[in-house]
């Protein structure tokens, strides 16, 4: 029971994750490598207008989001490096 509750809590918090938000933003010219971590640090350091720079708003609590975004950005680093290098790939899911 505790495991299920923890899993649902993590999924609920993931929707507010800066990394997920920047992946969904798809703004031309926005940073790709460690974008969620950079968005959190930008807001923590008093940067204005994150929507103009990153294509999305920052999470409500960027200090709490920072460790999770760092972890997810690190896991997605190979894909973000390929994207930043201009390597296109067509990924499809499902059966």
């Amino acid at each position: 029971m505790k495991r299920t509750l923890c899993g649902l809590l993590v999924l609920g918090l993931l929707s507010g994750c800066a990394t997920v938000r920047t992946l969904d933003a798809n703004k031309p010219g926005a940073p790709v490598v460690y974008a969620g971590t950079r968005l959190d640090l930008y807001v923590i350091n008093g940067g204005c207008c994150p929507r103009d720079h990153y294509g999305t708003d920052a999470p409500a609590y960027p200090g709490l989001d920072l460790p999770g975004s760092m972890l997810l950005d690190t896991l997605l680093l190979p894909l973000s490096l390929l994207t930043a290098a201009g390597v296109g790939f067509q990924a499809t899911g499902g059966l």
Side-chain angles (χ1 to χ4, degrees):
M1 180 69 174
K2 286 184 181 182
R3 193 175 202 176
T4 304
L5 185 60
C6 286
L8 290 173
L9 181 64
V10 167
L11 285 175
L13 292 174
L14 193 60
S15 66
C17 178
T19 300
V20 173
R21 287 181 180 201
T22 55
L23 289 173
D24 288 342
N26 196 19
K27 179 182 185 336
V32 177
V33 179
Y34 279 96
T37 302
R38 292 166 68 178
L39 172 59
D40 285 336
L41 290 173
Y42 178 77
V43 173
I44 289 170
N45 290 319
C48 82
C49 315
R51 185 174 286 276
D52 293 339
H53 296 283
Y54 295 90
T56 186
D57 293 323
Y61 301 102
L64 287 174
D65 181 64
L66 186 60
S69 287
M70 288 177 71
L71 177 66
L72 192 55
D73 280 333
T74 301
L75 292 173
L76 296 175
L77 184 61
L79 295 175
S80 62
L81 287 174
L82 287 172
T83 301
V87 176
F89 55 91
Q90 299 295 328
T92 59
L95 296 173

Coordinates of all heavy atoms in Angstrom, one line a residue:
M1 N 0.8 -1.2 0.0 CA 0.0 0.0 0.0 C 0.9 1.3 0.0 O 0.6 2.2 -0.7 CB -0.9 0.0 1.2 CG -1.8 1.1 1.4 SD -3.0 1.1 0.0 CE -4.1 2.4 0.5
K2 N 1.9 1.3 0.9 CA 2.8 2.4 0.9 C 3.5 2.6 -0.4 O 3.7 3.8 -0.8 CB 3.8 2.3 2.0 CG 3.3 2.5 3.4 CD 4.4 2.4 4.4 CE 3.8 2.6 5.8 NZ 4.9 2.5 6.8
R3 N 3.9 1.5 -1.0 CA 4.6 1.6 -2.3 C 3.7 2.3 -3.4 O 4.2 3.1 -4.2 CB 5.0 0.2 -2.7 CG 6.0 0.2 -3.8 CD 6.5 -1.2 -4.0 NE 7.8 -1.2 -4.7 CZ 8.5 -2.2 -4.9 NH1 8.0 -3.4 -4.6 NH2 9.6 -2.1 -5.5
T4 N 2.5 1.9 -3.4 CA 1.6 2.4 -4.4 C 1.3 3.9 -4.2 O 1.3 4.7 -5.1 CB 0.2 1.7 -4.4 OG1 0.5 0.3 -4.6 CG2 -0.7 2.2 -5.4
L5 N 1.2 4.3 -2.9 CA 1.0 5.7 -2.5 C 2.2 6.5 -2.9 O 2.1 7.6 -3.5 CB 0.7 5.8 -1.0 CG 0.3 7.2 -0.5 CD1 -0.9 7.7 -1.2 CD2 0.1 7.2 1.0
C6 N 3.4 6.0 -2.6 CA 4.6 6.7 -3.0 C 4.7 6.9 -4.5 O 5.1 7.9 -5.0 CB 5.8 6.0 -2.4 SG 6.0 6.2 -0.7
G7 N 4.4 5.8 -5.2 CA 4.4 5.9 -6.7 C 3.5 6.9 -7.3 O 3.8 7.7 -8.2
L8 N 2.3 7.0 -6.7 CA 1.3 8.0 -7.2 C 1.8 9.4 -6.8 O 1.6 10.4 -7.6 CB -0.1 7.7 -6.5 CG -0.8 6.5 -7.1 CD1 -2.1 6.2 -6.3 CD2 -1.1 6.7 -8.5
L9 N 2.4 9.6 -5.7 CA 2.9 10.9 -5.2 C 4.0 11.3 -6.2 O 4.0 12.5 -6.6 CB 3.4 10.8 -3.8 CG 4.0 12.1 -3.2 CD1 2.9 13.2 -3.2 CD2 4.6 11.9 -1.9
V10 N 4.9 10.4 -6.5 CA 6.0 10.8 -7.5 C 5.4 11.2 -8.8 O 5.9 12.1 -9.4 CB 7.0 9.6 -7.6 CG1 7.9 9.8 -8.7 CG2 7.8 9.4 -6.3
L11 N 4.5 10.4 -9.3 CA 3.9 10.8 -10.6 C 3.2 12.1 -10.6 O 3.2 12.9 -11.5 CB 2.9 9.7 -11.0 CG 3.5 8.4 -11.5 CD1 2.4 7.4 -11.8 CD2 4.3 8.6 -12.8
G12 N 2.5 12.4 -9.5 CA 1.9 13.7 -9.3 C 2.9 14.9 -9.3 O 2.6 15.9 -9.9
L13 N 4.0 14.6 -8.7 CA 5.0 15.7 -8.6 C 5.8 15.8 -9.9 O 6.3 16.9 -10.2 CB 6.0 15.4 -7.5 CG 5.5 15.5 -6.1 CD1 6.5 15.0 -5.0 CD2 5.0 16.9 -5.8
L14 N 5.8 14.7 -10.7 CA 6.6 14.8 -11.9 C 5.9 15.7 -12.9 O 6.6 16.3 -13.8 CB 6.6 13.4 -12.5 CG 7.6 13.1 -13.7 CD1 9.0 13.4 -13.2 CD2 7.5 11.7 -14.1
S15 N 4.7 15.9 -12.8 CA 4.0 16.8 -13.8 C 4.5 18.3 -13.6 O 4.4 19.1 -14.5 CB 2.5 16.7 -13.7 OG 2.1 17.2 -12.4
G16 N 5.0 18.6 -12.4 CA 5.5 20.0 -12.1 C 6.9 20.1 -12.3 O 7.5 21.1 -12.0
C17 N 7.6 19.0 -12.7 CA 9.0 19.0 -12.9 C 9.5 19.9 -14.0 O 8.9 19.9 -15.1 CB 9.5 17.5 -13.1 SG 11.2 17.3 -13.4
A18 N 10.5 20.7 -13.7 CA 11.0 21.6 -14.8 C 11.5 20.9 -16.0 O 11.4 21.4 -17.1 CB 12.1 22.5 -14.2
T19 N 12.1 19.7 -15.8 CA 12.6 18.9 -17.0 C 11.5 18.5 -17.9 O 11.5 18.7 -19.1 CB 13.4 17.7 -16.5 OG1 14.5 18.1 -15.7 CG2 13.9 16.9 -17.7
V20 N 10.4 18.0 -17.3 CA 9.2 17.6 -18.1 C 8.6 18.8 -18.8 O 8.2 18.8 -19.9 CB 8.2 16.9 -17.2 CG1 6.9 16.6 -17.9 CG2 8.8 15.6 -16.6
R21 N 8.6 20.0 -18.1 CA 8.0 21.2 -18.6 C 8.8 21.7 -19.8 O 8.2 22.1 -20.8 CB 7.9 22.3 -17.6 CG 6.8 22.0 -16.6 CD 6.8 23.2 -15.6 NE 5.7 23.0 -14.6 CZ 5.2 23.9 -13.9 NH1 5.6 25.2 -14.0 NH2 4.3 23.6 -13.0
T22 N 10.1 21.6 -19.7 CA 10.9 22.1 -20.8 C 10.9 21.2 -22.0 O 11.0 21.6 -23.2 CB 12.4 22.3 -20.4 OG1 12.9 21.1 -19.8 CG2 12.5 23.5 -19.4
L23 N 10.7 19.9 -21.8 CA 10.6 18.9 -22.9 C 9.3 19.2 -23.6 O 9.2 19.0 -24.8 CB 10.6 17.5 -22.3 CG 11.9 17.0 -21.8 CD1 11.8 15.6 -21.2 CD2 13.0 16.9 -22.9
D24 N 8.2 19.5 -22.9 CA 6.9 19.8 -23.5 C 6.9 21.1 -24.2 O 6.1 21.3 -25.1 CB 5.8 19.7 -22.5 CG 5.5 18.3 -22.0 OD1 5.9 17.4 -22.7 OD2 4.9 18.2 -20.9
A25 N 7.8 22.1 -23.8 CA 7.7 23.4 -24.4 C 8.0 23.5 -25.8 O 7.4 24.2 -26.6 CB 8.6 24.3 -23.6
N26 N 9.1 22.8 -26.3 CA 9.5 22.8 -27.7 C 9.7 24.2 -28.2 O 9.2 24.5 -29.3 CB 8.5 21.9 -28.5 CG 9.1 21.5 -29.8 OD1 10.3 21.6 -30.0 ND2 8.2 21.2 -30.7
K27 N 10.4 25.0 -27.5 CA 10.6 26.4 -28.0 C 11.9 26.5 -28.8 O 12.9 26.0 -28.3 CB 10.7 27.4 -26.8 CG 11.0 28.8 -27.2 CD 11.1 29.6 -25.9 CE 11.2 31.1 -26.0 NZ 11.7 31.8 -27.0
P28 N 11.9 27.0 -30.0 CA 13.1 27.1 -30.8 C 14.1 28.0 -30.1 O 13.8 29.1 -29.6 CB 12.6 27.7 -32.1 CG 11.2 27.5 -32.2 CD 10.7 27.4 -30.7
G29 N 15.3 27.5 -30.0 CA 16.4 28.3 -29.4 C 16.5 28.1 -27.9 O 17.4 28.7 -27.3
A30 N 15.6 27.4 -27.3 CA 15.7 27.2 -25.9 C 16.7 26.1 -25.6 O 17.0 25.3 -26.4 CB 14.3 26.7 -25.3
P31 N 17.4 26.2 -24.4 CA 18.4 25.2 -24.0 C 17.8 23.8 -24.0 O 16.6 23.6 -23.6 CB 18.8 25.7 -22.6 CG 18.2 27.0 -22.3 CD 17.1 27.2 -23.3
V32 N 18.6 22.9 -24.3 CA 18.1 21.5 -24.3 C 18.9 20.7 -23.3 O 18.3 19.9 -22.6 CB 18.4 20.8 -25.7 CG1 18.0 19.4 -25.8 CG2 17.6 21.6 -26.8
V33 N 20.2 20.8 -23.2 CA 21.0 20.1 -22.3 C 20.8 20.6 -20.9 O 21.0 21.8 -20.6 CB 22.5 20.1 -22.7 CG1 23.4 19.4 -21.7 CG2 22.7 19.6 -24.1
Y34 N 20.4 19.8 -19.9 CA 20.1 20.1 -18.6 C 19.1 21.3 -18.5 O 19.3 22.2 -17.7 CB 21.4 20.4 -17.8 CG 22.1 19.2 -17.3 CD1 23.1 18.6 -18.0 CD2 21.7 18.6 -16.1 CE1 23.7 17.5 -17.6 CE2 22.3 17.4 -15.7 CZ 23.3 16.9 -16.4 OH 23.9 15.7 -16.0
A35 N 18.2 21.3 -19.3 CA 17.2 22.4 -19.4 C 16.4 22.6 -18.2 O 16.2 23.7 -17.7 CB 16.3 22.3 -20.6
G36 N 15.9 21.5 -17.6 CA 15.1 21.7 -16.3 C 16.0 22.2 -15.2 O 15.5 23.0 -14.4
T37 N 17.2 21.7 -15.0 CA 18.1 22.1 -14.0 C 18.4 23.6 -14.2 O 18.4 24.4 -13.2 CB 19.4 21.3 -14.0 OG1 19.0 19.9 -13.8 CG2 20.3 21.7 -12.9
R38 N 18.7 24.0 -15.4 CA 19.0 25.4 -15.7 C 17.8 26.3 -15.5 O 18.0 27.4 -15.0 CB 19.4 25.5 -17.2 CG 20.8 24.8 -17.4 CD 21.2 24.6 -18.8 NE 21.4 25.9 -19.5 CZ 21.8 25.9 -20.7 NH1 21.9 24.9 -21.5 NH2 22.0 27.1 -21.3
L39 N 16.6 25.8 -15.8 CA 15.4 26.6 -15.5 C 15.2 26.8 -14.0 O 15.0 28.0 -13.5 CB 14.2 25.9 -16.1 CG 12.8 26.5 -15.7 CD1 12.7 28.0 -16.2 CD2 11.7 25.7 -16.3
D40 N 15.4 25.8 -13.2 CA 15.3 25.9 -11.7 C 16.3 26.9 -11.2 O 16.0 27.8 -10.4 CB 15.5 24.6 -11.0 CG 14.3 23.7 -11.2 OD1 13.1 24.2 -11.3 OD2 14.4 22.5 -11.0
L41 N 17.6 26.8 -11.6 CA 18.6 27.7 -11.2 C 18.4 29.1 -11.6 O 18.7 30.1 -10.9 CB 20.0 27.2 -11.6 CG 20.5 25.9 -11.0 CD1 21.8 25.4 -11.7 CD2 20.7 26.1 -9.5
Y42 N 17.9 29.3 -12.8 CA 17.6 30.6 -13.3 C 16.6 31.3 -12.4 O 16.7 32.5 -12.1 CB 17.0 30.4 -14.8 CG 16.6 31.7 -15.4 CD1 17.6 32.6 -16.0 CD2 15.3 32.1 -15.6 CE1 17.2 33.7 -16.6 CE2 14.9 33.2 -16.2 CZ 15.9 34.1 -16.7 OH 15.5 35.2 -17.3
V43 N 15.5 30.6 -12.1 CA 14.5 31.2 -11.2 C 15.0 31.4 -9.8 O 14.7 32.4 -9.2 CB 13.2 30.3 -11.2 CG1 12.2 30.8 -10.3 CG2 12.6 30.3 -12.7
I44 N 15.7 30.4 -9.3 CA 16.3 30.6 -7.9 C 17.2 31.8 -7.8 O 17.2 32.5 -6.8 CB 17.0 29.3 -7.5 CG1 16.1 28.1 -7.3 CG2 17.9 29.5 -6.3 CD1 16.7 26.8 -7.1
N45 N 17.9 32.1 -8.8 CA 18.8 33.2 -8.8 C 18.2 34.5 -9.3 O 18.8 35.5 -9.5 CB 20.0 33.0 -9.8 CG 20.9 31.9 -9.2 OD1 21.2 31.9 -8.0 ND2 21.4 31.0 -10.0
G46 N 16.9 34.5 -9.4 CA 16.1 35.8 -9.6 C 15.9 36.2 -11.0 O 15.6 37.3 -11.3
G47 N 16.1 35.2 -11.9 CA 15.9 35.5 -13.4 C 14.4 35.8 -13.7 O 13.5 35.2 -13.1
C48 N 14.2 36.8 -14.5 CA 12.8 37.2 -14.9 C 12.5 36.5 -16.2 O 13.3 36.1 -17.0 CB 12.7 38.7 -15.0 SG 13.2 39.3 -16.6
C49 N 11.2 36.3 -16.4 CA 10.6 35.9 -17.6 C 11.2 34.5 -18.1 O 11.7 34.4 -19.2 CB 10.9 36.9 -18.7 SG 10.6 38.6 -18.3
P50 N 11.0 33.5 -17.3 CA 11.5 32.2 -17.7 C 10.7 31.7 -19.0 O 11.3 30.9 -19.8 CB 11.2 31.2 -16.5 CG 10.1 31.9 -15.7 CD 10.4 33.4 -16.0
R51 N 9.5 32.1 -19.2 CA 8.8 31.7 -20.4 C 9.5 32.2 -21.7 O 9.5 31.5 -22.7 CB 7.4 32.2 -20.4 CG 6.5 31.7 -21.5 CD 5.1 32.1 -21.4 NE 4.4 31.3 -20.4 CZ 3.8 30.1 -20.6 NH1 4.0 29.5 -21.8 NH2 3.2 29.5 -19.7
D52 N 10.1 33.4 -21.6 CA 10.8 33.9 -22.8 C 12.1 33.1 -23.1 O 12.5 33.0 -24.3 CB 11.2 35.4 -22.6 CG 9.9 36.3 -22.6 OD1 8.9 35.8 -23.1 OD2 10.0 37.4 -22.0
H53 N 12.8 32.6 -22.1 CA 14.0 31.9 -22.3 C 13.9 30.4 -22.4 O 14.6 29.8 -23.2 CB 15.0 32.2 -21.1 CG 15.3 33.6 -20.9 ND1 16.3 34.2 -21.7 CD2 14.9 34.6 -20.1 CE1 16.4 35.5 -21.3 NE2 15.6 35.7 -20.3
Y54 N 12.9 29.8 -21.8 CA 12.8 28.4 -21.8 C 11.5 27.9 -22.4 O 11.3 26.7 -22.6 CB 12.9 27.8 -20.3 CG 14.2 28.1 -19.7 CD1 14.5 29.2 -19.0 CD2 15.2 27.1 -19.9 CE1 15.8 29.5 -18.5 CE2 16.5 27.3 -19.3 CZ 16.8 28.5 -18.6 OH 18.0 28.7 -18.1
G55 N 10.6 28.8 -22.7 CA 9.3 28.4 -23.3 C 8.3 27.9 -22.3 O 7.2 27.4 -22.8
T56 N 8.5 28.0 -21.0 CA 7.6 27.5 -20.0 C 7.8 28.2 -18.7 O 8.8 28.8 -18.5 CB 7.7 26.0 -19.8 OG1 6.7 25.5 -18.9 CG2 9.1 25.6 -19.3
D57 N 6.8 28.1 -17.9 CA 6.9 28.7 -16.5 C 7.7 27.8 -15.6 O 7.7 26.5 -15.8 CB 5.6 29.0 -15.9 CG 4.8 30.1 -16.7 OD1 5.5 31.1 -17.1 OD2 3.6 30.0 -16.9
A58 N 8.3 28.3 -14.6 CA 9.0 27.5 -13.7 C 8.1 26.8 -12.7 O 7.0 27.3 -12.5 CB 10.0 28.4 -12.9
P59 N 8.5 25.7 -12.0 CA 7.7 25.1 -11.0 C 7.5 26.1 -9.8 O 8.3 27.0 -9.7 CB 8.5 23.9 -10.6 CG 9.5 23.7 -11.6 CD 9.7 25.0 -12.3
A60 N 6.5 25.8 -9.1 CA 6.1 26.7 -7.9 C 7.3 26.7 -6.9 O 7.5 27.7 -6.3 CB 4.8 26.3 -7.3
Y61 N 7.9 25.6 -6.7 CA 9.0 25.5 -5.7 C 10.3 25.0 -6.4 O 10.6 23.8 -6.3 CB 8.6 24.5 -4.6 CG 7.3 25.0 -3.9 CD1 6.1 24.4 -4.2 CD2 7.4 26.0 -3.0 CE1 4.9 24.8 -3.5 CE2 6.2 26.5 -2.4 CZ 5.0 25.9 -2.6 OH 3.9 26.3 -2.0
P62 N 11.0 25.8 -7.1 CA 12.2 25.4 -7.8 C 13.3 24.8 -6.9 O 14.0 23.9 -7.4 CB 12.7 26.6 -8.5 CG 12.1 27.8 -7.8 CD 10.8 27.3 -7.2
G63 N 13.4 25.2 -5.7 CA 14.4 24.6 -4.8 C 14.1 23.1 -4.5 O 15.0 22.3 -4.4
L64 N 12.8 22.8 -4.4 CA 12.4 21.4 -4.1 C 12.5 20.6 -5.4 O 12.8 19.4 -5.4 CB 11.0 21.3 -3.6 CG 10.8 21.7 -2.2 CD1 9.3 21.7 -1.9 CD2 11.5 20.8 -1.2
D65 N 12.3 21.2 -6.5 CA 12.3 20.5 -7.8 C 13.7 20.3 -8.3 O 14.0 19.4 -9.1 CB 11.6 21.4 -8.9 CG 11.5 20.7 -10.2 OD1 10.9 19.6 -10.3 OD2 12.1 21.3 -11.2
L66 N 14.7 21.0 -7.9 CA 16.1 21.0 -8.4 C 16.7 19.6 -8.3 O 17.2 19.1 -9.4 CB 17.0 22.0 -7.7 CG 18.4 22.2 -8.2 CD1 18.4 22.6 -9.7 CD2 19.1 23.2 -7.4
P67 N 16.7 18.9 -7.2 CA 17.3 17.5 -7.2 C 16.7 16.5 -8.2 O 17.4 15.8 -8.9 CB 17.1 17.0 -5.8 CG 16.9 18.3 -5.0 CD 16.2 19.2 -5.9
G68 N 15.4 16.5 -8.3 CA 14.7 15.7 -9.2 C 15.0 16.0 -10.7 O 15.2 15.1 -11.5
S69 N 15.0 17.3 -11.0 CA 15.3 17.7 -12.3 C 16.8 17.4 -12.7 O 17.0 17.0 -13.8 CB 15.1 19.3 -12.5 OG 13.8 19.6 -12.5
M70 N 17.7 17.5 -11.7 CA 19.1 17.1 -12.0 C 19.2 15.6 -12.3 O 19.9 15.3 -13.3 CB 20.0 17.5 -10.8 CG 20.2 19.0 -10.6 SD 21.2 19.4 -9.2 CE 22.8 18.8 -9.7
L71 N 18.5 14.8 -11.6 CA 18.5 13.4 -11.8 C 17.9 13.0 -13.2 O 18.5 12.3 -14.0 CB 17.7 12.7 -10.7 CG 17.6 11.2 -10.9 CD1 19.0 10.5 -10.8 CD2 16.6 10.6 -9.8
L72 N 16.7 13.6 -13.5 CA 16.1 13.3 -14.8 C 16.9 13.9 -15.9 O 17.0 13.2 -17.0 CB 14.6 13.9 -14.8 CG 13.7 13.4 -15.9 CD1 13.7 11.9 -16.0 CD2 12.3 14.0 -15.7
D73 N 17.4 15.1 -15.8 CA 18.3 15.6 -16.9 C 19.5 14.7 -17.1 O 19.9 14.6 -18.2 CB 18.7 17.0 -16.5 CG 17.7 18.1 -16.8 OD1 16.8 17.8 -17.7 OD2 17.7 19.1 -16.1
T74 N 20.1 14.2 -16.0 CA 21.2 13.3 -16.2 C 20.8 12.0 -16.9 O 21.6 11.5 -17.8 CB 21.8 13.0 -14.8 OG1 22.2 14.2 -14.2 CG2 23.1 12.1 -14.9
L75 N 19.7 11.5 -16.6 CA 19.2 10.2 -17.2 C 18.9 10.5 -18.7 O 19.2 9.6 -19.6 CB 18.0 9.7 -16.6 CG 18.2 9.1 -15.2 CD1 16.8 8.8 -14.5 CD2 19.1 7.9 -15.2
L76 N 18.5 11.7 -19.0 CA 18.1 12.0 -20.4 C 19.3 12.7 -21.2 O 19.1 13.1 -22.3 CB 16.9 12.9 -20.5 CG 15.6 12.3 -19.9 CD1 14.5 13.4 -19.9 CD2 15.2 11.1 -20.8
L77 N 20.5 12.8 -20.6 CA 21.6 13.5 -21.2 C 22.0 12.9 -22.5 O 22.2 13.7 -23.5 CB 22.8 13.4 -20.2 CG 24.0 14.2 -20.7 CD1 23.7 15.7 -20.8 CD2 25.2 14.0 -19.7
P78 N 22.1 11.6 -22.8 CA 22.4 11.2 -24.1 C 21.5 11.7 -25.2 O 21.9 12.1 -26.3 CB 22.4 9.6 -24.0 CG 22.6 9.4 -22.6 CD 22.0 10.5 -21.8
L79 N 20.2 11.7 -24.9 CA 19.2 12.1 -25.9 C 19.3 13.6 -26.1 O 19.2 14.1 -27.2 CB 17.8 11.7 -25.5 CG 17.5 10.2 -25.4 CD1 16.1 10.0 -24.9 CD2 17.7 9.7 -26.8
S80 N 19.5 14.4 -25.0 CA 19.6 15.8 -25.2 C 20.9 16.2 -25.9 O 20.9 17.2 -26.6 CB 19.5 16.5 -23.8 OG 20.5 16.1 -22.9
L81 N 22.0 15.5 -25.7 CA 23.2 15.8 -26.4 C 23.0 15.5 -27.9 O 23.5 16.3 -28.8 CB 24.4 15.0 -25.9 CG 24.9 15.4 -24.5 CD1 26.0 14.4 -24.1 CD2 25.4 16.8 -24.6
L82 N 22.3 14.5 -28.3 CA 22.0 14.2 -29.7 C 21.2 15.3 -30.3 O 21.4 15.7 -31.4 CB 21.4 12.8 -29.8 CG 22.2 11.6 -29.6 CD1 21.4 10.3 -29.6 CD2 23.3 11.5 -30.7
T83 N 20.2 15.7 -29.5 CA 19.3 16.8 -30.0 C 20.0 18.1 -30.2 O 19.9 18.8 -31.2 CB 18.1 17.0 -29.0 OG1 17.4 15.7 -28.9 CG2 17.1 18.0 -29.5
A84 N 20.9 18.4 -29.2 CA 21.7 19.6 -29.3 C 22.7 19.6 -30.5 O 23.0 20.6 -31.1 CB 22.4 19.9 -28.0
A85 N 23.1 18.4 -30.8 CA 24.1 18.2 -31.9 C 23.3 18.2 -33.3 O 24.0 18.2 -34.3 CB 24.9 16.9 -31.8
G86 N 22.0 18.2 -33.3 CA 21.3 18.2 -34.5 C 21.0 16.9 -35.1 O 20.5 16.8 -36.2
V87 N 21.2 15.8 -34.3 CA 20.9 14.5 -34.8 C 19.4 14.2 -34.6 O 18.9 14.3 -33.5 CB 21.8 13.4 -34.1 CG1 21.4 12.0 -34.5 CG2 23.2 13.7 -34.2
G88 N 18.7 14.0 -35.7 CA 17.3 13.8 -35.6 C 17.0 12.3 -35.6 O 17.7 11.5 -36.3
F89 N 16.1 11.9 -34.9 CA 15.7 10.5 -34.8 C 14.2 10.4 -34.6 O 13.6 11.3 -34.0 CB 16.4 9.7 -33.7 CG 16.3 10.3 -32.4 CD1 15.2 9.9 -31.5 CD2 17.2 11.2 -31.9 CE1 15.1 10.5 -30.3 CE2 17.0 11.8 -30.6 CZ 16.0 11.4 -29.8
Q90 N 13.6 9.5 -35.3 CA 12.1 9.3 -35.2 C 11.8 8.2 -34.2 O 12.0 7.0 -34.5 CB 11.6 8.9 -36.5 CG 11.8 10.0 -37.6 CD 11.1 11.3 -37.3 OE1 10.0 11.3 -36.7 NE2 11.6 12.4 -37.7
A91 N 11.4 8.6 -33.0 CA 11.1 7.6 -32.0 C 9.6 7.4 -31.9 O 8.8 8.4 -32.0 CB 11.6 8.1 -30.6
T92 N 9.1 6.2 -31.9 CA 7.7 5.9 -31.8 C 7.5 4.9 -30.7 O 8.4 4.1 -30.4 CB 7.1 5.3 -33.1 OG1 7.8 4.1 -33.4 CG2 7.3 6.3 -34.3
G93 N 6.4 5.0 -30.1 CA 6.1 4.1 -29.0 C 4.9 3.2 -29.3 O 4.3 3.4 -30.4
G94 N 4.5 2.4 -28.4 CA 3.3 1.6 -28.6 C 3.7 0.2 -29.2 O 4.8 -0.1 -29.5
L95 N 2.7 -0.5 -29.4 CA 2.9 -1.9 -30.0 C 2.5 -1.9 -31.5 O 1.7 -1.2 -32.0 CB 2.0 -2.9 -29.3 CG 2.4 -3.1 -27.8 CD1 1.3 -4.0 -27.1 CD2 3.8 -3.7 -27.7

